[in-house]
Amino acid sequence: MSNLVSPAQLIHLQRRAEHGEGPVVRVLDVRWRLDRPEGRPEYVRAHLPGAVYVDLDHELADRGQPERGRHPLPSAEQLQAAARGWGLHVSDIAVAYDDNRGVAAARLWWLLRRAGVDVRVLDGGIRGWVAEGLPLESGDVLPEPGDVELAASDDGQIDLEDVEAFARTGVLLDVRTPEQYSGVQSSLDPVGGHIPGAVNLPAMAVLDGDGRLRHPDALRRVFAGAGVRAGVPVAVYCGSGIASTHTVLALEHAGIQAVVYPGSWSEWSNRRGLPVAVGILPNGRLSAV
C-alpha cells in the first residue's frame, strides 16, 4: 500500500467509492505552517471538494503540556474524538493534504497510520491539484460524526530518555535548517544547536522543484549522504515534531523504516542539564541547556 496518492489516483479512489466498488474516501485539509498556524481562513476560501479542515495545533497536538515541546502528541482519546469529528468511519480511506509541501499533512498521516487507519498524503498538495486544472470549492464542510476506532500505539517513536543512546547506535537525523542545527539561529527555542551525534539533513532536501517527494532512487542517495544505510536504525527530529514526520514519509517512500522523536528540539532545549552541540559537526562544541 502506497503512502502517497497523485490527484489522478485520488479521483480514481473517489469514483470507485461513488460506485460502491471501494471504501469511502475522506479528504482532510491540514493547512498549517509555522508563520501562519491558523489555516482555516485559507481553507474556507478554497479547498478540495468535500475536504474537511483539520486544526493541527489543537487536534494533532496536546498544547496543554508545554514541558513536552511545542507540539506534544495528542492522546489516543483526543485523536479519536477529532477523527470522528472529521467524519471518519471504520474502513474509510483518509487522504491528507496541505499547501506547504506535505509537511503538515505528514503529521496527520503519521498519527493516523500508527492508529490503524488507511491513510495517504496527496503528493503536491493543493498546489499540485490546482496545477492539474482540477476544481476547488469554498465554504466549510461539517460532516456527520464518524465512528472510527483508533488503536492506542507508541509505535514509531522514541522518547527523550532514549535519544542520546540512539545517537550512539543508529543515525539520528536533525531535519532543521543548517542555521538552526549549528546554533547560529535559535528561532523559538531558548538555545541553539543540536543533540550531540545528530546529523543535519534539512527537510526540504527530499523534495523536487514542484514540492513533491523525489523519486525513491534519488531519496536513497540523499539519505545515504547522511549515513543512512541498510541495517542501521534511523530516528528523526526537527523543531517540534512536525517536519520530522514528513522526513519519515520520505524515508518510507524510499523503502527505509524510521522512528520519530516527537518532542524534538523544542523539548530537548527546554530540559535543564541536557547536552547541546554547537557547530556544523555532529559532535561539535558541547555545552548544556
Side-chain angles (χ1 to χ4, degrees):
M1 181 184 69
S2 174
N3 294 311
L4 300 175
V5 293
S6 67
Q9 290 168 331
L10 173 55
I11 292 170
H12 176 69
L13 289 171
Q14 291 172 321
R15 287 178 177 166
R16 283 179 53 84
E18 290 168 4
H19 291 92
E21 298 171 353
V24 171
V25 180
R26 176 61 68 191
V27 181
L28 302 172
D29 184 309
V30 198
R31 217 80 65 92
W32 177 93
R33 58 182 64 205
L34 193 59
D35 61 342
R36 197 166 65 248
E38 177 53 73
R40 185 177 286 278
E42 287 82 3
Y43 161 81
V44 171
R45 279 196 290 272
H47 55 79
L48 269 65
V52 176
Y53 178 68
V54 176
D55 187 327
L56 185 148
D57 269 347
H58 297 97
E59 295 182 302
L60 305 185
D62 182 1
R63 300 302 296 275
Q65 301 188 53
E67 72 279 3
R68 292 170 52 209
R70 289 194 301 278
H71 292 102
L73 299 182
S75 68
E77 295 77 16
Q78 289 171 317
L79 185 61
Q80 178 167 283
R84 290 181 173 183
W86 309 326
L88 197 62
H89 290 271
V90 175
S91 80
D92 285 357
I93 295 175
V95 175
Y97 75 88
D98 59 35
D99 62 350
N100 190 25
R101 304 177 179 89
V103 171
R107 169 78 167 205
L108 179 58
W109 163 82
W110 185 78
L111 286 170
L112 287 184
R113 183 194 61 157
R114 70 191 202 134
V117 175
D118 183 353
V119 57
R120 329 280 175 89
V121 171
L122 179 63
D123 201 18
I126 191 170
R127 297 179 187 183
W129 181 268
V130 171
E132 297 284 343
L134 296 168
L136 299 173
E137 65 180 23
S138 60
D140 207 351
V141 176
L142 301 173
E144 292 293 322
D147 61 4
V148 68
E149 295 280 348
L150 299 186
S153 174
D154 290 329
D155 289 348
Q157 71 179 74
I158 58 171
D159 296 324
L160 181 145
E161 293 75 19
D162 306 317
V163 175
E164 279 192 274
F166 195 101
R168 293 191 295 269
T169 60
V171 177
L172 179 63
L173 295 178
D174 180 321
V175 299
R176 296 175 299 152
T177 67
E179 293 78 14
Q180 292 168 327
Y181 173 85
S182 67
V184 171
Q185 181 186 86
S186 60
S187 64
L188 301 175
D189 302 305
V191 297
H194 57 272
I195 297 171
V199 177
N200 190 214
L201 180 67
M204 296 301 102
V206 303
L207 297 168
D208 65 18
D210 295 326
R212 294 180 171 85
L213 285 178
R214 299 172 71 175
H215 187 277
D217 290 340
L219 287 172
R220 283 187 281 271
R221 290 192 292 271
V222 169
F223 292 126
V228 175
R229 60 190 185 278
V232 178
V234 182
V236 188
Y237 77 92
C238 57
S240 65
I242 307 300
S244 53
T245 59
H246 184 259
T247 300
V248 169
L249 175 65
L251 281 157
E252 296 215 358
H253 191 51
I256 303 165
Q257 297 294 309
V259 298
V260 171
Y261 166 35
S264 288
W265 189 248
S266 63
E267 178 183 43
W268 187 273
S269 63
N270 277 283
R271 295 294 184 96
R272 296 293 297 273
L274 291 179
V276 171
V278 177
I280 62 173
L281 299 177
N283 290 297
R285 189 175 76 255
L286 296 180
S287 60
V289 176

